[in-house]
Amino acid sequence: MKGWLLAAAAYNLVFGAWAVVFPSALFTWAGMEAPNYPELWQCIGMIVGVYGIGYAIAAFDPYRHWPIVLVGFLGKIFGPIGFAQALWQGSLPLKFGAILLSNDLVWWIPFALILWGAYQEGMRGRRESACPEVVEAT
């Protein structure tokens, strides 16, 4: 878990910095017109970078910091949904979706496993606090 979250942290920090420093690069690569307001893409880069800081913090105690992982996981679910809608409407080209592989899809399983483990840990703690005599007897 720690390794996955540290990798997510590093990726998000690098991607965020890249989006801030080179706000037109992805659009140029995808054959799109650069945004009229690159500051909006730079702001997205800043948000992605801040997630990286959160993932780095969560890496050292993933079950305690599961809300950070949950918020990131939801973003990694909703991002592809938003892209699918934009693709359907013709406002983004398919090539732009390549970024979903590294930004979102690759993290689904590790984040889901972390969240499942945190849920199981929470349930185990509830059972132990509800029935301390059973835990002591085992």
Side-chain angles (χ1 to χ4, degrees):
M1 286 183 293
K2 182 178 181 179
W4 277 106
L5 287 169
L6 289 175
Y11 176 83
N12 278 50
L13 289 167
V14 169
F15 181 88
W18 175 73
V20 168
V21 176
F22 304 107
S24 298
L26 178 62
F27 299 93
T28 302
W29 173 81
M32 299 172 63
E33 209 174 297
N36 289 334
Y37 303 100
E39 298 83 6
L40 294 175
W41 186 248
Q42 289 173 311
C43 185
I44 291 170
M46 180 271 308
I47 293 167
V48 170
V50 169
Y51 272 100
I53 295 168
Y55 297 149
I57 292 167
F60 294 93
D61 195 349
Y63 293 165
R64 178 175 171 218
H65 297 294
W66 67 265
I68 294 171
V69 179
L70 176 63
V71 169
F73 183 67
L74 291 173
K76 292 174 185 319
I77 298 291
F78 295 140
I81 291 170
F83 171 74
Q85 179 183 3
L87 183 65
W88 180 261
Q89 294 172 339
S91 56
L92 287 176
L94 181 60
K95 190 172 184 180
F96 193 86
I99 199 155
L100 297 177
L101 296 173
S102 56
N103 274 15
D104 300 310
L105 303 179
V106 71
W107 308 107
W108 282 7
I109 292 173
F111 279 34
L113 291 173
I114 291 166
L115 292 169
W116 179 248
Y119 170 77
Q120 290 179 315
E121 184 74 19
M123 292 305 292
R124 186 173 20 261
R126 285 184 182 171
R127 282 192 303 271
E128 290 173 1
S129 66
C131 302
E133 64 280 350
V134 174
V135 175
E136 291 173 12
T138 56

